[in-house]
mmCIF file of all heavy atoms in Angstrom:
data_model
loop_
_atom_site.group_PDB
_atom_site.id
_atom_site.type_symbol
_atom_site.label_atom_id
_atom_site.label_comp_id
_atom_site.label_asym_id
_atom_site.label_seq_id
_atom_site.Cartn_x
_atom_site.Cartn_y
_atom_site.Cartn_z
ATOM 1 N N LEU A 157 -1.646 1.218 -1.146
ATOM 2 C CA LEU A 157 -1.078 2.255 -0.351
ATOM 3 C C LEU A 157 0.121 1.709 0.508
ATOM 4 O O LEU A 157 0.055 0.653 1.017
ATOM 5 C CB LEU A 157 -2.115 2.892 0.536
ATOM 6 C CG LEU A 157 -3.272 3.689 -0.122
ATOM 7 C CD1 LEU A 157 -4.167 4.316 0.851
ATOM 8 C CD2 LEU A 157 -2.698 4.795 -1.088
ATOM 9 N N LEU A 158 1.180 2.368 0.502
ATOM 10 C CA LEU A 158 2.377 2.159 1.432
ATOM 11 C C LEU A 158 2.452 3.197 2.571
ATOM 12 O O LEU A 158 2.329 4.422 2.249
ATOM 13 C CB LEU A 158 3.785 2.009 0.572
ATOM 14 C CG LEU A 158 3.778 1.104 -0.559
ATOM 15 C CD1 LEU A 158 5.038 1.359 -1.330
ATOM 16 C CD2 LEU A 158 3.631 -0.310 0.060
ATOM 17 N N SER A 159 2.970 2.763 3.699
ATOM 18 C CA SER A 159 3.140 3.684 4.788
ATOM 19 C C SER A 159 4.749 3.596 5.018
ATOM 20 O O SER A 159 5.392 2.527 5.017
ATOM 21 C CB SER A 159 2.543 3.375 6.018
ATOM 22 O OG SER A 159 1.151 3.785 6.087
ATOM 23 N N VAL A 160 5.368 4.786 4.918
ATOM 24 C CA VAL A 160 6.753 4.879 5.112
ATOM 25 C C VAL A 160 7.028 5.536 6.499
ATOM 26 O O VAL A 160 6.623 6.624 6.709
ATOM 27 C CB VAL A 160 7.533 5.768 3.993
ATOM 28 C CG1 VAL A 160 9.009 5.910 4.261
ATOM 29 C CG2 VAL A 160 7.256 5.217 2.645
ATOM 30 N N SER A 161 7.625 4.765 7.413
ATOM 31 C CA SER A 161 7.713 5.206 8.802
ATOM 32 C C SER A 161 9.186 5.100 9.158
ATOM 33 O O SER A 161 10.053 4.463 8.510
ATOM 34 C CB SER A 161 6.825 4.538 9.813
ATOM 35 O OG SER A 161 7.112 3.013 9.696
ATOM 36 N N SER A 162 9.551 5.593 10.472
ATOM 37 C CA SER A 162 10.884 5.500 10.970
ATOM 38 C C SER A 162 10.909 5.582 12.515
ATOM 39 O O SER A 162 9.984 6.111 13.083
ATOM 40 C CB SER A 162 11.766 6.688 10.299
ATOM 41 O OG SER A 162 13.003 6.629 11.014
ATOM 42 N N LYS A 163 11.779 4.746 12.976
ATOM 43 C CA LYS A 163 11.929 4.776 14.564
ATOM 44 C C LYS A 163 12.748 5.887 14.972
ATOM 45 O O LYS A 163 12.922 6.067 16.181
ATOM 46 C CB LYS A 163 12.563 3.410 14.999
ATOM 47 C CG LYS A 163 11.637 2.217 14.785
ATOM 48 C CD LYS A 163 12.362 0.999 15.337
ATOM 49 C CE LYS A 163 11.433 -0.242 15.199
ATOM 50 N NZ LYS A 163 12.118 -1.407 15.842
ATOM 51 N N ASN A 164 13.350 6.722 14.129
ATOM 52 C CA ASN A 164 14.243 7.659 14.352
ATOM 53 C C ASN A 164 13.585 9.105 14.595
ATOM 54 O O ASN A 164 14.234 10.189 14.545
ATOM 55 C CB ASN A 164 15.330 7.902 13.354
ATOM 56 C CG ASN A 164 16.166 6.617 13.191
ATOM 57 O OD1 ASN A 164 16.231 5.811 14.152
ATOM 58 N ND2 ASN A 164 16.593 6.409 12.029
ATOM 59 N N ASP A 165 12.244 9.045 14.679
ATOM 60 C CA ASP A 165 11.434 10.309 14.824
ATOM 61 C C ASP A 165 11.746 11.338 13.858
ATOM 62 O O ASP A 165 12.028 12.456 14.136
ATOM 63 C CB ASP A 165 11.691 10.868 16.217
ATOM 64 C CG ASP A 165 11.170 10.009 17.476
ATOM 65 O OD1 ASP A 165 10.140 9.221 17.092
ATOM 66 O OD2 ASP A 165 11.796 9.869 18.453
ATOM 67 N N LEU A 166 11.734 11.019 12.581
ATOM 68 C CA LEU A 166 11.863 11.983 11.510
ATOM 69 C C LEU A 166 10.818 12.967 11.531
ATOM 70 O O LEU A 166 9.621 12.673 11.850
ATOM 71 C CB LEU A 166 11.950 11.283 10.087
ATOM 72 C CG LEU A 166 13.100 10.253 10.077
ATOM 73 C CD1 LEU A 166 13.062 9.681 8.630
ATOM 74 C CD2 LEU A 166 14.522 10.901 10.145
ATOM 75 N N SER A 167 11.028 14.151 11.035
ATOM 76 C CA SER A 167 10.019 15.240 11.007
ATOM 77 C C SER A 167 9.169 14.942 9.763
ATOM 78 O O SER A 167 9.508 14.063 8.906
ATOM 79 C CB SER A 167 10.666 16.552 10.795
ATOM 80 O OG SER A 167 11.352 16.628 9.487
ATOM 81 N N PRO A 168 7.943 15.507 9.765
ATOM 82 C CA PRO A 168 7.032 15.251 8.667
ATOM 83 C C PRO A 168 7.734 15.645 7.221
ATOM 84 O O PRO A 168 7.487 14.838 6.312
ATOM 85 C CB PRO A 168 6.018 16.136 8.755
ATOM 86 C CG PRO A 168 5.831 16.290 10.377
ATOM 87 C CD PRO A 168 7.284 16.393 10.789
ATOM 88 N N GLN A 169 8.531 16.709 7.196
ATOM 89 C CA GLN A 169 9.199 17.052 5.912
ATOM 90 C C GLN A 169 10.211 15.944 5.633
ATOM 91 O O GLN A 169 10.314 15.554 4.447
ATOM 92 C CB GLN A 169 9.972 18.351 6.149
ATOM 93 C CG GLN A 169 9.028 19.558 6.272
ATOM 94 C CD GLN A 169 8.791 19.948 7.712
ATOM 95 O OE1 GLN A 169 8.873 18.986 8.538
ATOM 96 N NE2 GLN A 169 8.380 21.136 7.950
ATOM 97 N N GLN A 170 10.915 15.403 6.581
ATOM 98 C CA GLN A 170 11.942 14.385 6.316
ATOM 99 C C GLN A 170 11.232 13.026 5.825
ATOM 100 O O GLN A 170 11.696 12.340 4.966
ATOM 101 C CB GLN A 170 12.708 14.071 7.575
ATOM 102 C CG GLN A 170 13.706 15.221 7.913
ATOM 103 C CD GLN A 170 14.394 14.962 9.298
ATOM 104 O OE1 GLN A 170 13.731 14.628 10.162
ATOM 105 N NE2 GLN A 170 15.687 15.305 9.337
ATOM 106 N N LEU A 171 10.177 12.794 6.479
ATOM 107 C CA LEU A 171 9.353 11.604 6.209
ATOM 108 C C LEU A 171 8.810 11.598 4.729
ATOM 109 O O LEU A 171 8.852 10.700 3.959
ATOM 110 C CB LEU A 171 8.152 11.343 7.138
ATOM 111 C CG LEU A 171 8.434 10.569 8.307
ATOM 112 C CD1 LEU A 171 7.314 10.643 9.325
ATOM 113 C CD2 LEU A 171 8.858 9.091 8.097
ATOM 114 N N GLN A 172 8.268 12.830 4.409
ATOM 115 C CA GLN A 172 7.817 13.061 3.003
ATOM 116 C C GLN A 172 8.856 12.946 1.974
ATOM 117 O O GLN A 172 8.698 12.325 1.000
ATOM 118 C CB GLN A 172 7.125 14.331 2.888
ATOM 119 C CG GLN A 172 6.340 14.566 1.606
ATOM 120 C CD GLN A 172 5.345 15.635 1.702
ATOM 121 O OE1 GLN A 172 4.558 15.647 2.629
ATOM 122 N NE2 GLN A 172 5.299 16.545 0.808
ATOM 123 N N PHE A 173 10.181 13.404 2.260
ATOM 124 C CA PHE A 173 11.264 13.234 1.483
ATOM 125 C C PHE A 173 11.601 11.809 1.303
ATOM 126 O O PHE A 173 11.962 11.405 0.179
ATOM 127 C CB PHE A 173 12.338 14.037 2.098
ATOM 128 C CG PHE A 173 13.685 13.955 1.234
ATOM 129 C CD1 PHE A 173 13.930 14.689 0.036
ATOM 130 C CD2 PHE A 173 14.754 13.080 1.689
ATOM 131 C CE1 PHE A 173 14.941 14.495 -0.644
ATOM 132 C CE2 PHE A 173 15.824 12.996 1.044
ATOM 133 C CZ PHE A 173 16.046 13.609 -0.212
ATOM 134 N N ARG A 174 11.627 10.995 2.348
ATOM 135 C CA ARG A 174 11.959 9.594 2.278
ATOM 136 C C ARG A 174 10.928 8.855 1.561
ATOM 137 O O ARG A 174 11.219 7.857 0.791
ATOM 138 C CB ARG A 174 12.125 8.978 3.742
ATOM 139 C CG ARG A 174 13.150 9.701 4.578
ATOM 140 C CD ARG A 174 14.526 9.661 3.941
ATOM 141 N NE ARG A 174 15.131 8.355 4.017
ATOM 142 C CZ ARG A 174 15.752 7.710 2.914
ATOM 143 N NH1 ARG A 174 15.782 8.451 1.838
ATOM 144 N NH2 ARG A 174 16.275 6.566 2.957
ATOM 145 N N ALA A 175 9.602 9.338 1.705
ATOM 146 C CA ALA A 175 8.515 8.627 0.875
ATOM 147 C C ALA A 175 8.716 8.850 -0.575
ATOM 148 O O ALA A 175 8.424 7.981 -1.308
ATOM 149 C CB ALA A 175 7.200 9.136 1.432
ATOM 150 N N GLN A 176 9.180 10.044 -0.892
ATOM 151 C CA GLN A 176 9.399 10.315 -2.294
ATOM 152 C C GLN A 176 10.494 9.438 -2.926
ATOM 153 O O GLN A 176 10.417 9.035 -4.127
ATOM 154 C CB GLN A 176 9.759 11.748 -2.514
ATOM 155 C CG GLN A 176 8.429 12.670 -2.274
ATOM 156 C CD GLN A 176 8.968 14.142 -2.183
ATOM 157 O OE1 GLN A 176 10.101 14.435 -2.119
ATOM 158 N NE2 GLN A 176 7.913 15.074 -2.097
ATOM 159 N N ALA A 177 11.406 9.105 -2.112
ATOM 160 C CA ALA A 177 12.587 8.235 -2.414
ATOM 161 C C ALA A 177 12.020 6.834 -2.727
ATOM 162 O O ALA A 177 12.412 6.138 -3.681
ATOM 163 C CB ALA A 177 13.688 8.223 -1.553
ATOM 164 N N VAL A 178 11.098 6.389 -1.755
ATOM 165 C CA VAL A 178 10.525 5.103 -1.883
ATOM 166 C C VAL A 178 9.645 5.066 -3.237
ATOM 167 O O VAL A 178 9.719 4.109 -3.855
ATOM 168 C CB VAL A 178 9.670 4.704 -0.640
ATOM 169 C CG1 VAL A 178 8.835 3.510 -0.895
ATOM 170 C CG2 VAL A 178 10.554 4.524 0.494
ATOM 171 N N ALA A 179 8.963 6.155 -3.408
ATOM 172 C CA ALA A 179 8.067 6.160 -4.659
ATOM 173 C C ALA A 179 8.923 6.010 -5.911
ATOM 174 O O ALA A 179 8.423 5.356 -6.800
ATOM 175 C CB ALA A 179 7.286 7.582 -4.553
ATOM 176 N N LEU A 180 10.040 6.538 -5.970
ATOM 177 C CA LEU A 180 10.847 6.414 -7.133
ATOM 178 C C LEU A 180 11.312 4.909 -7.360
ATOM 179 O O LEU A 180 11.373 4.437 -8.463
ATOM 180 C CB LEU A 180 12.174 7.226 -7.002
ATOM 181 C CG LEU A 180 12.007 8.801 -7.105
ATOM 182 C CD1 LEU A 180 13.284 9.537 -6.872
ATOM 183 C CD2 LEU A 180 11.441 9.106 -8.511
ATOM 184 N N LYS A 181 11.612 4.184 -6.229
ATOM 185 C CA LYS A 181 11.922 2.838 -6.300
ATOM 186 C C LYS A 181 10.685 2.081 -6.788
ATOM 187 O O LYS A 181 10.855 1.005 -7.657
ATOM 188 C CB LYS A 181 12.438 2.336 -4.976
ATOM 189 C CG LYS A 181 13.806 2.749 -4.554
ATOM 190 C CD LYS A 181 14.767 2.138 -5.507
ATOM 191 C CE LYS A 181 16.248 2.551 -5.107
ATOM 192 N NZ LYS A 181 17.203 1.761 -6.041
ATOM 193 N N MET A 182 9.495 2.409 -6.253
ATOM 194 C CA MET A 182 8.345 1.743 -6.744
ATOM 195 C C MET A 182 7.981 1.905 -8.223
ATOM 196 O O MET A 182 7.390 1.069 -8.847
ATOM 197 C CB MET A 182 7.085 2.014 -5.736
ATOM 198 C CG MET A 182 7.325 1.648 -4.389
ATOM 199 S SD MET A 182 7.400 -0.246 -4.186
ATOM 200 C CE MET A 182 8.106 -0.418 -2.535
ATOM 201 N N GLN A 183 8.365 3.095 -8.650
ATOM 202 C CA GLN A 183 8.048 3.357 -10.069
ATOM 203 C C GLN A 183 8.723 2.466 -11.017
ATOM 204 O O GLN A 183 8.402 2.290 -12.175
ATOM 205 C CB GLN A 183 8.422 4.827 -10.348
ATOM 206 C CG GLN A 183 8.008 5.345 -11.727
ATOM 207 C CD GLN A 183 6.432 5.576 -11.725
ATOM 208 O OE1 GLN A 183 5.816 6.400 -11.052
ATOM 209 N NE2 GLN A 183 5.765 4.767 -12.674
ATOM 210 N N GLU A 184 9.829 1.754 -10.551
ATOM 211 C CA GLU A 184 10.578 0.829 -11.395
ATOM 212 C C GLU A 184 9.837 -0.496 -11.644
ATOM 213 O O GLU A 184 10.194 -1.154 -12.570
ATOM 214 C CB GLU A 184 11.947 0.484 -10.633
ATOM 215 C CG GLU A 184 12.897 1.739 -10.367
ATOM 216 C CD GLU A 184 13.998 1.345 -9.493
ATOM 217 O OE1 GLU A 184 14.066 0.145 -9.085
ATOM 218 O OE2 GLU A 184 14.919 2.252 -9.292
ATOM 219 N N LEU A 185 8.881 -0.677 -10.908
ATOM 220 C CA LEU A 185 8.144 -1.996 -11.060
ATOM 221 C C LEU A 185 7.455 -2.093 -12.289
ATOM 222 O O LEU A 185 6.701 -1.019 -12.734
ATOM 223 C CB LEU A 185 7.219 -2.187 -9.910
ATOM 224 C CG LEU A 185 7.735 -2.313 -8.465
ATOM 225 C CD1 LEU A 185 6.640 -2.352 -7.405
ATOM 226 C CD2 LEU A 185 8.630 -3.450 -8.316
ATOM 227 N N ALA A 186 7.404 -3.214 -13.036
ATOM 228 C CA ALA A 186 6.804 -3.235 -14.287
ATOM 229 C C ALA A 186 5.200 -3.216 -14.314
ATOM 230 O O ALA A 186 4.635 -2.654 -15.179
ATOM 231 C CB ALA A 186 7.126 -4.753 -14.855
ATOM 232 N N GLY A 187 4.697 -3.562 -13.106
ATOM 233 C CA GLY A 187 3.230 -3.556 -13.026
ATOM 234 C C GLY A 187 2.644 -2.234 -12.635
ATOM 235 O O GLY A 187 1.473 -2.085 -12.427
ATOM 236 N N VAL A 188 3.477 -1.245 -12.371
ATOM 237 C CA VAL A 188 3.079 0.071 -11.728
ATOM 238 C C VAL A 188 3.052 1.073 -12.899
ATOM 239 O O VAL A 188 3.951 1.325 -13.671
ATOM 240 C CB VAL A 188 3.921 0.559 -10.638
ATOM 241 C CG1 VAL A 188 3.643 2.038 -10.318
ATOM 242 C CG2 VAL A 188 3.887 -0.369 -9.533
ATOM 243 N N LYS A 189 1.881 1.807 -13.000
ATOM 244 C CA LYS A 189 1.737 2.858 -14.050
ATOM 245 C C LYS A 189 2.158 4.173 -13.430
ATOM 246 O O LYS A 189 2.708 4.911 -14.039
ATOM 247 C CB LYS A 189 0.122 2.846 -14.371
ATOM 248 C CG LYS A 189 -0.129 4.093 -15.339
ATOM 249 C CD LYS A 189 -1.634 4.103 -15.636
ATOM 250 C CE LYS A 189 -1.940 5.178 -16.606
ATOM 251 N NZ LYS A 189 -3.352 5.272 -16.839
ATOM 252 N N ASN A 190 1.651 4.514 -12.152
ATOM 253 C CA ASN A 190 1.910 5.770 -11.636
ATOM 254 C C ASN A 190 2.158 5.687 -10.074
ATOM 255 O O ASN A 190 1.424 4.773 -9.470
ATOM 256 C CB ASN A 190 0.746 6.688 -11.940
ATOM 257 C CG ASN A 190 0.981 8.149 -11.529
ATOM 258 O OD1 ASN A 190 2.127 8.572 -11.646
ATOM 259 N ND2 ASN A 190 0.059 8.839 -10.953
ATOM 260 N N VAL A 191 2.952 6.371 -9.521
ATOM 261 C CA VAL A 191 3.222 6.433 -8.085
ATOM 262 C C VAL A 191 3.155 7.939 -7.587
ATOM 263 O O VAL A 191 3.699 8.829 -8.252
ATOM 264 C CB VAL A 191 4.512 5.943 -7.725
ATOM 265 C CG1 VAL A 191 4.780 5.876 -6.225
ATOM 266 C CG2 VAL A 191 4.734 4.465 -8.255
ATOM 267 N N THR A 192 2.380 8.137 -6.520
ATOM 268 C CA THR A 192 2.143 9.464 -5.934
ATOM 269 C C THR A 192 2.354 9.452 -4.408
ATOM 270 O O THR A 192 2.262 8.381 -3.816
ATOM 271 C CB THR A 192 0.676 10.097 -6.160
ATOM 272 O OG1 THR A 192 -0.222 9.117 -5.632
ATOM 273 C CG2 THR A 192 0.414 10.235 -7.622
ATOM 274 N N THR A 193 3.032 10.564 -3.939
ATOM 275 C CA THR A 193 3.290 10.655 -2.502
ATOM 276 C C THR A 193 2.159 11.599 -2.057
ATOM 277 O O THR A 193 1.942 12.720 -2.514
ATOM 278 C CB THR A 193 4.554 11.259 -2.173
ATOM 279 O OG1 THR A 193 5.665 10.503 -2.783
ATOM 280 C CG2 THR A 193 4.850 11.453 -0.667
ATOM 281 N N LEU A 194 1.304 11.074 -1.044
ATOM 282 C CA LEU A 194 0.268 11.878 -0.465
ATOM 283 C C LEU A 194 0.833 12.953 0.396
ATOM 284 O O LEU A 194 1.573 12.790 1.227
ATOM 285 C CB LEU A 194 -0.671 11.081 0.348
ATOM 286 C CG LEU A 194 -1.751 10.338 -0.448
ATOM 287 C CD1 LEU A 194 -1.291 9.317 -1.457
ATOM 288 C CD2 LEU A 194 -2.805 9.593 0.441
ATOM 289 N N THR A 195 0.490 14.241 -0.004
ATOM 290 C CA THR A 195 1.197 15.412 0.464
ATOM 291 C C THR A 195 0.736 15.778 1.943
ATOM 292 O O THR A 195 -0.561 15.835 2.132
ATOM 293 C CB THR A 195 1.046 16.613 -0.424
ATOM 294 O OG1 THR A 195 1.498 16.286 -1.801
ATOM 295 C CG2 THR A 195 1.701 17.788 0.118
ATOM 296 N N GLN A 196 1.560 15.885 2.855
ATOM 297 C CA GLN A 196 1.280 16.507 4.162
ATOM 298 C C GLN A 196 1.699 17.909 4.321
ATOM 299 O O GLN A 196 1.105 18.651 5.001
ATOM 300 C CB GLN A 196 2.043 15.639 5.252
ATOM 301 C CG GLN A 196 1.637 14.108 5.274
ATOM 302 C CD GLN A 196 2.407 13.409 6.426
ATOM 303 O OE1 GLN A 196 2.588 13.901 7.450
ATOM 304 N NE2 GLN A 196 2.919 12.271 6.045
ATOM 305 N N ILE A 197 2.877 18.196 3.618
ATOM 306 C CA ILE A 197 3.306 19.601 3.726
ATOM 307 C C ILE A 197 3.094 20.388 2.511
ATOM 308 O O ILE A 197 3.350 19.896 1.362
ATOM 309 C CB ILE A 197 4.896 19.595 3.903
ATOM 310 C CG1 ILE A 197 5.383 18.642 5.018
ATOM 311 C CG2 ILE A 197 5.486 20.947 4.064
ATOM 312 C CD1 ILE A 197 4.773 18.949 6.348
ATOM 313 N N GLU A 198 2.259 21.476 2.674
ATOM 314 C CA GLU A 198 1.849 22.300 1.549
ATOM 315 C C GLU A 198 2.843 23.541 1.483
ATOM 316 O O GLU A 198 3.285 24.059 2.509
ATOM 317 C CB GLU A 198 0.511 22.868 1.709
ATOM 318 C CG GLU A 198 -0.615 21.783 1.684
ATOM 319 C CD GLU A 198 -0.847 21.191 0.368
ATOM 320 O OE1 GLU A 198 -0.247 21.752 -0.679
ATOM 321 O OE2 GLU A 198 -1.612 20.238 0.111
ATOM 322 N N GLN A 199 3.185 23.779 0.166
ATOM 323 C CA GLN A 199 4.092 24.925 0.005
ATOM 324 C C GLN A 199 3.562 25.920 -0.973
ATOM 325 O O GLN A 199 2.874 25.614 -1.910
ATOM 326 C CB GLN A 199 5.407 24.391 -0.553
ATOM 327 C CG GLN A 199 6.649 25.325 -0.651
ATOM 328 C CD GLN A 199 7.858 24.616 -0.966
ATOM 329 O OE1 GLN A 199 8.001 24.169 -2.093
ATOM 330 N NE2 GLN A 199 8.818 24.639 -0.286
ATOM 331 N N GLY A 200 3.912 27.190 -0.631
ATOM 332 C CA GLY A 200 3.311 28.288 -1.552
ATOM 333 C C GLY A 200 3.991 29.568 -1.332
ATOM 334 O O GLY A 200 5.173 29.615 -0.624
ATOM 335 N N VAL A 201 3.610 30.669 -1.973
ATOM 336 C CA VAL A 201 4.193 31.865 -1.893
ATOM 337 C C VAL A 201 3.383 32.912 -1.031
ATOM 338 O O VAL A 201 2.099 33.030 -1.185
ATOM 339 C CB VAL A 201 4.485 32.490 -3.282
ATOM 340 C CG1 VAL A 201 5.040 33.950 -3.190
ATOM 341 C CG2 VAL A 201 5.361 31.550 -4.086
ATOM 342 N N ASN A 202 4.014 33.529 -0.065
ATOM 343 C CA ASN A 202 3.271 34.584 0.666
ATOM 344 C C ASN A 202 3.045 35.782 -0.254
ATOM 345 O O ASN A 202 4.046 36.368 -0.688
ATOM 346 C CB ASN A 202 4.140 34.924 1.983
ATOM 347 C CG ASN A 202 3.395 35.778 2.942
ATOM 348 O OD1 ASN A 202 2.770 36.770 2.461
ATOM 349 N ND2 ASN A 202 3.412 35.468 4.188
#
Side-chain angles (χ1 to χ4, degrees):
L157 295 180
L158 299 175
S159 283
V160 180
S161 59
S162 173
K163 292 184 179 181
N164 299 333
D165 296 324
L166 298 179
S167 67
Q169 291 92 336
Q170 290 171 319
L171 275 173
Q172 190 160 310
F173 177 75
R174 303 301 289 133
Q176 290 168 350
V178 171
L180 288 174
K181 287 291 183 181
M182 293 298 163
Q183 190 69 64
E184 298 171 359
L185 298 176
V188 171
K189 176 184 178 182
N190 188 38
V191 182
T192 56
T193 303
L194 278 61
T195 304
Q196 298 180 44
I197 309 298
E198 296 285 358
Q199 191 175 63
V201 177
N202 189 317

